Amino acid sequence: MFRPVSSQLNLPQIEEKLLHWWKQDKIFERSVENRRGGPRFSLYEGPPTANGSPGIHHVLSRIFKDIIPRHRAMKGYYTPRIGGWDTHGLPVELEVERELGLSSKTQIEEYGIDKFNARCRESVFRYLKDWNALTERIAYWCDLEHPYVTMENYYIETVWWAIKQMWDRGLVYLGYKTAAHCPRCGTSLSSHEVALGYEDDTEDPSVYIKFKVARWTGKEDEVSQRLSQLALSRDTYFLAWTTTPWTLPGNTALAVDADADYAVVEADNGHLILADALREAVGLGDNKVVMKVEGGYLVGAEYEPLFNPHESGVERRRFQSSAELLTQEPDKDLTYRVIATDFVSMEDGTGIVHVAPAFGEVDFEAGKEQGLDFVQQVDLQGNITGNYSFAGKFVKDADAPVLEELKEKGLLYRSETIHHTYPFCWRCSTPLLYYVKESWYIKTTAVKDSLISGNNEINWYPEHIKHGRFGDWLENNVDWAFSRERYWGTPVPIWRCKSCDYRECIGGVDDIKDKPGFKGLKEPLDLHRPYVDDMTYDCPQCGDTMRRVPEVIDCWFDSGAMPVAQMHYPFENETLLEDGRFPADYICEAVDQTRGWFYSLHAISTLLFGRPSFLNCICLGHILDAKGEKMSKAKGNVIEPSAVINKYGADALRWYFFTSSPPGNVRRFSADMVSEVTRRFLLTLWNIYSFFVNYANIDQFTPGAKGVLSHSELDHWIISELNQLVADVDSGLENYDPSGAGRKIEAFVYGLSNWYVRRSRRRFWKSENDADKLAAYTTLYQCLVTVSKLLAPFTPFVAEEMYQNLVCSVFPDQPESVHLADFPVTDMDKIDQHLAADVRLIMRVSSLGRAARSEAGIKVRQPLSRLLIKVASERQKRALKHLAPQVMEEVNVKTLEAVDDMPVTKHKEWPLASEGDVMVMLDTDITPELAAEGMAREIVRRLQMMRRSAGFEIADHIVTCYQGDEYIKSVVTGSADYIKQETLSEQLLDSAPAQGAYAESFKLEGHELRLWVKRLD
Ligand SMILES: [Zn+2]
Ligand SMILES: [Zn+2]
């Protein structure tokens, strides 16, 4: 006997029960261990930062990470899965800063780096309980008890080793370059971090500035002479455009396109020079053009600085050939000059570009190439230095006063605002500044070709990521600025001599301990700041002290090094690269990681080993709310995962995520959608399951170990479909397509419910336990058990619940959990493509027949005489002939008639329905005999409803009494056997009510009818 199953599905309750049991009996651990010795399947956990509660998008990525290894484990792969935590970096520091009320790096240093880092270490695992609880609750199976943790010494040591490998190959350098800088966090961001924080629709000033021509020098040609004359006759200005007025004090050059045409136009207080093509756009289209010249003639012209740095209290330096900057003497008649570059746009602005080498990549490069002056009037906190009227202000706040001052000087031509895309710090939302400073770089561009060829070995899902988002990113690779001027991170393992600037990279703890004159080691060892900063040794060049450089490493480097660092390679686990643990067979995260973790993983393994560290990657789309808006705390539309799970169950959420849309799509999410999925799929499945269990118990059906030979076509059909399903689901999961696989299961379960079970009902109901009934039970049993195994990776709870009852309660020698069972294998011999096609045809014909009925407004219970059918092929005709009884039953007609042409002209009123090459027409003439038969069916239906209302069991036999007019009597007498059989009525009496009977009255087609039902003892 199976445990009785309620038709109500209380998923959360079932799940809590199973979670407890899985934990107690270590089902996860055993699901891994019992496959030891099998081929390895390796998953890398992209480590989440544990300093925040997990959200709904974490559920999405965790269940997609979960499903594939679960499937592989059932297929015999050894798939240990190790959890991990990303513990370093700015997010952690920011949280601690907030708690301590610190707002700058100076304050942190005053507070003490040791104390600050101790707080960081402590704060990291504050949310760990939440994370572990959610991870367990959604049945994401991975080892949470032995996770890798990026802040542990062993992890840091491997990261040092990795940097040292790159250092030894000359791939680490100290660059003097522009970098995106977050003034609030006081650190550079790497280009992939910058890519994370672009915000559209940012409002900024859009201003046109006048730069006064001082003189034209050096050229004797006629055009230059004329230009010079013009400038002498009236004030003449170059007109340039910018969206960052705060950079204007740093201006040291104007750039033009040497080949473009420029115009000198008349304006109110003098001449303005700008690109001819942009006159119209700037609003100078109607002004008189005094002269047109090629940009080349403008090159070399000198103009007056907007702000003379020497009068503003800031240093003026100049690029030397070696990219050094040399301080320049004060000059009160300072002028700058016009240069030609290839980055001048004729699309917007004025065709004259304001160049400030301290604040931009191209500006910096131009400065180096052309030996320009360099004025840096902004400090690392983003505040203006010097003695400007706007000194001390944060750059963005300086925009307005800068413009105010230029306006007073008569140098502001026009001021507006624009909306454009601007990068913000992805952690703290402060606008980023491009800033020239020193930074440690990894020369990833040196391995660009390997990065690209390695990408060819990776399978991306969806596929377009490979040559799209990820491929593009690799094509445009720039060196990785990996140092951060911060505190809580893996320290950069470079020691430097202050006297002779000799530098060394340290590749491990023993490496530094062996250095001459080593001191500063504190026990217990902690490889963080400030303790590492105390470790010093003697400079091998000059004997002075080697000290560590102050920076820490970008935390993306930490997470990208996880394939080796989690194993403390090569200090331990020397066989890592050969034993199947590297590369990962599978990783999965959201699409924003193409420039985050996916990139750092790929870059590091390419740098270290010249090959990719993962072979298959599901790249998930983002989750939006039901209206399609981004979820954010500010908007208040964030959905707490636990609320959904506690109401509908983790399996409902899992199934929704797997099947609602392919993994790469952006998806909308609401609790209603989860509820709908529960109703549509999980409840349908549950109904079949509870139907089976309840009837099987009545008939005391016990599944045999061996299959039963069935002669039913319906059985053959569903078993064929089942085997096809096994093949489809297996290949779907093999090919990283859980959504496609899940939808196949959904379609199968729908067919099982709406065709197989519905059409087999009579076989389960009939009183005799014959071979046909046994075949029906055996078939449905096989379907349910197989589906439970197929579902195990998708909805581990529902699958387990069904498996426990269907399998474990009957076969004690079977694996005690569905997750310890083998994944089903297709029996190809059982797949009958012809039968499948035939059944699809009759399903289609039946549904067309019902559509025709509903068009004519005739209920399905009313039998009709015939259905006319037109099909295209001989094969279809044969199939229809063969399977006619099923169609007749489905459509409730007495005969099927195959026709070559529909008698549409003769029977205009008969409804037609068609789909593709199939057309049906329904004969709607109702004879008195058909009407009586329809009435008998109505009565049966009323009696069946009454049995339920009266609370009878399915198998209870009853006595039925009725009273009605002559017509009713003739109908009941005429169909007595049919009514008795359908309603399990031993007697059918035209008489007054029996004592204690359940009664109801009806009016059917205008005929009064009273019915009584009474259970037989
Ligand atoms: Zn920031
Ligand atoms: Zn030295």
Side-chain angles (χ1 to χ4, degrees), residues 198-368:
Y198 278 101
E199 279 180 29
D200 298 332
D201 210 29
T202 305
E203 189 181 282
D204 263 318
S206 164
V207 296
Y208 295 86
I209 306 294
K210 292 155 69 179
F211 293 80
K212 191 173 177 204
V213 175
R215 65 186 80 91
W216 301 89
T217 43
K219 293 189 189 164
E220 300 299 326
D221 63 273
E222 199 182 323
V223 180
S224 299
Q225 293 296 326
R226 266 193 70 200
L227 279 167
S228 189
Q229 293 292 323
L230 273 179
L232 287 173
S233 69
R234 288 183 75 186
D235 285 347
T236 301
Y237 301 89
F238 291 109
L239 194 60
W241 174 71
T242 182
T243 57
T244 50
W246 62 267
T247 61
L248 289 168
N251 173 278
T252 63
L254 291 173
V256 296
D257 178 344
D259 300 324
D261 285 336
Y262 286 80
V264 183
V265 301
E266 264 185 17
D268 290 346
N269 301 311
H271 297 128
L272 294 177
I273 304 176
L274 73 164
D276 192 39
L278 287 159
R279 276 194 297 127
E280 202 78 47
V282 177
L284 291 165
D286 297 334
N287 291 44
K288 189 182 166 199
V289 176
V290 184
M291 187 179 172
K292 284 192 186 180
V293 290
E294 260 185 25
Y297 287 104
L298 306 178
V299 174
E302 292 176 46
Y303 66 93
E304 296 175 6
L306 299 176
F307 302 88
N308 186 321
H310 304 295
E311 290 160 18
S312 312
V314 298
E315 227 184 359
R316 178 170 66 95
R317 290 179 284 171
R318 184 171 292 170
F319 285 98
Q320 303 301 299
S321 53
S322 63
E324 267 179 295
L325 290 170
L326 284 194
T327 304
Q328 304 295 303
E329 291 300 309
D331 177 359
K332 66 178 169 39
D333 298 319
L334 179 68
T335 57
Y336 294 135
R337 60 196 162 82
V338 175
I339 58 172
T341 68
D342 55 7
F343 57 75
V344 177
S345 160
M346 288 294 153
E347 303 296 315
D348 52 16
T350 63
I352 300 178
V353 174
H354 141 62
V355 178
F359 308 112
E361 181 101 49
V362 291
D363 304 51
F364 178 77
E365 293 302 323
K368 265 201 309 198

Side-chain angles (χ1 to χ4, degrees), residues 949-975:
S949 307
F952 300 165
E953 295 292 324
I954 295 162
D956 286 344
H957 285 241
I958 59 168
V959 172
T960 299
C961 298
Y962 71 97
Q963 279 183 343
D965 59 17
E966 284 310 309
Y967 179 68
I968 293 284
K969 277 181 194 167
S970 73
V971 167
V972 174
T973 342
S975 305

Side-chain angles (χ1 to χ4, degrees), residues 496-502 538-546:
R496 189 172 182 177
C497 171
K498 213 172 126 195
S499 299
C500 72
D501 202 28
Y502 181 69
D538 298 341
C539 172
Q541 299 278 320
C542 75
D544 203 345
T545 308
M546 295 289 281

Side-chain angles (χ1 to χ4, degrees), residues 831-947:
I831 297 179
D832 183 339
Q833 302 285 9
H834 290 303
L835 180 59
D838 291 351
V839 173
R840 270 199 300 278
L841 175 68
I842 59 168
M843 282 175 163
R844 206 159 102 197
V845 170
S846 303
S847 106
L848 287 173
R850 283 192 294 265
R853 265 181 177 276
S854 95
E855 198 195 317
I858 302 170
K859 304 187 249 209
V860 180
R861 274 184 299 282
Q862 174 60 57
L864 293 172
S865 60
R866 30 173 209 154
L867 183 71
L868 285 64
I869 305 175
K870 191 184 143 192
V871 288
S873 73
E874 283 304 314
R875 236 201 71 74
Q876 287 176 316
K877 267 185 206 164
R878 277 201 305 278
L880 272 179
K881 200 165 175 183
H882 172 58
L883 297 164
Q886 296 193 35
V887 180
M888 282 152 51
E889 213 173 296
E890 284 293 314
V891 189
N892 197 11
V893 291
K894 299 293 172 192
T895 53
L896 288 194
E897 210 172 296
V899 293
D900 292 326
D901 282 302
M902 288 293 173
V904 271
T905 40
K906 200 169 153 201
H907 300 286
K908 289 193 186 75
E909 73 285 9
W910 287 0
L912 266 171
S914 68
E915 190 202 313
D917 48 15
V918 180
M919 181 183 269
V920 304
M921 191 178 198
L922 191 63
D923 176 348
T924 52
D925 292 345
I926 301 175
T927 62
E929 290 77 27
L930 289 172
E933 213 178 298
M935 178 64 85
R937 287 190 176 222
E938 285 295 338
I939 293 170
V940 165
R941 179 161 165 268
R942 296 307 190 282
L943 284 169
Q944 276 160 347
M945 286 179 350
M946 286 173 68
R947 286 180 58 104

